Amino acid sequence: MLTKMMAISHMIGNTPLIKLEHEHINLFCKLEYNNLMGSVKVRPAFYILQEAIKRGEITQETTVIESSSGNFAIALATLCKRIGIKFIPVIDPNINPVYENLLRAFSHEVVKVTDRDETGGFLLTRIQTVNRLLNETKSSFWTNQYGNPDSARAHYFGLGAEIADSFETLDYAFIGVSSGGTITGISQRLKERYPNIKIIAVDTVGSVIFGQEPQKRYIPGIGSSMRPDILKGALIDEVVHVSEEDTVNACYQLYAEHGIFAGGSSGTSYWAIKNYFKDQKHVVKPNVVFLCPDGGMPYVNTVYNQEWVQWLHQQKHSFVGN
Ligand SMILES: Cc1ncc(COP(=O)(O)O)c(C=O)c1O
């Protein structure tokens, strides 16, 4: 199994780091959508499976089960297919239809929950369903992206190391948070290399990760209905919340200003950076990095669909009253 996985490892990591024009800062973007299956999430998927295989927790008979609204599931499905083991993703209605079709094509079985949890999201219902499936399935393995330390380690040794190898000095990293694996691993690596760096966690309004009131959210990939365990190891200096409408606007700006066609969470970080530095003028421009965790194509029916954007606007501004 490990040999089969290693045969595709050259398609994971070593993603391009590009410099973007900005008036006040030296802005760099790591194009994580250049990874196998188009997202950053293949890094933790690969590492978690690899380590579990090494420990003997995954064998050829194992069924891998995971709660994912998209990118992590697509990555796991691809890797499990490669090594010839079963994969069952637990998804929810926020998944984009293209991803759902892909998962139905690539996975052993897809389980879709429909009930919202008490926070208004689907995560807690998905986790309950994962636990039920783990109990019902013989020889099952939960990759557990919200709590598995290997998810953070993947980024410590992978993405974090690649960024640390790319800069002599680095002043800020803006990292979108969902399961928390990315920011936990990267922050540990970057704080070691650049003790004065500021790690800015970027979250979406309505996500409860950093103690905000829950609200309905419509853009997958960023935010969460619970605070993930894995974040206990994260070294975060500041948290910035971005609305979903600003996320959409920033996706269009990334495209118009830099030719970057990226997914929702890339826009969230881009907006956070523009807002953070809008009034700051530095004698020496700071070096700032952010990620484009996935590309724009999976969002053609949402973020990049004008009708959907109108609909989002209505959801955010409609209220029930007399
Ligand atoms: C598009 C996108 N951006 C950002 C993230 C956040 O990464 P993490 O789950 O490591 O916090 C994810 C996670 O699924 C994602 O799919």
Side-chain angles (χ1 to χ4, degrees), residues 81-130:
K81 182 69 82 187
R82 171 73 196 154
I83 56 181
I85 60 174
K86 289 178 186 163
F87 172 58
I88 304 179
V90 178
I91 62 168
D92 69 46
N94 275 346
I95 190 171
N96 84 63
V98 177
Y99 272 30
E100 182 167 351
N101 289 344
L102 284 178
L103 285 176
R104 290 191 189 279
F106 294 162
S107 312
H108 173 67
E109 185 192 335
V110 172
V111 176
K112 189 173 186 176
V113 305
T114 47
D115 295 335
R116 285 188 185 271
D117 56 40
E118 64 260 29
T119 73
F122 292 100
L123 182 59
L124 305 184
T125 324
R126 280 200 265 133
I127 301 283
Q128 277 167 10
T129 307
V130 165

Side-chain angles (χ1 to χ4, degrees), residues 10 13 102 136 271 274:
H10 62 280
L102 284 178
E136 287 171 0
W271 185 273
K274 284 188 118 177

Side-chain angles (χ1 to χ4, degrees), residues 219-268:
I219 299 176
I222 187 150
S224 175
S225 319
M226 66 170 195
R227 185 175 165 89
D229 271 357
I230 207 166
L231 268 183
K232 285 178 192 145
L235 304 169
I236 295 171
D237 294 289
E238 283 177 57
V239 179
V240 173
H241 283 94
V242 178
S243 75
E244 292 198 308
E245 288 181 291
D246 287 340
T247 284
V248 171
N249 288 334
C251 284
Y252 284 82
Q253 288 170 8
L254 261 182
Y255 174 72
E257 293 164 14
H258 306 289
I260 292 179
F261 179 45
S265 67
S266 312
T268 319

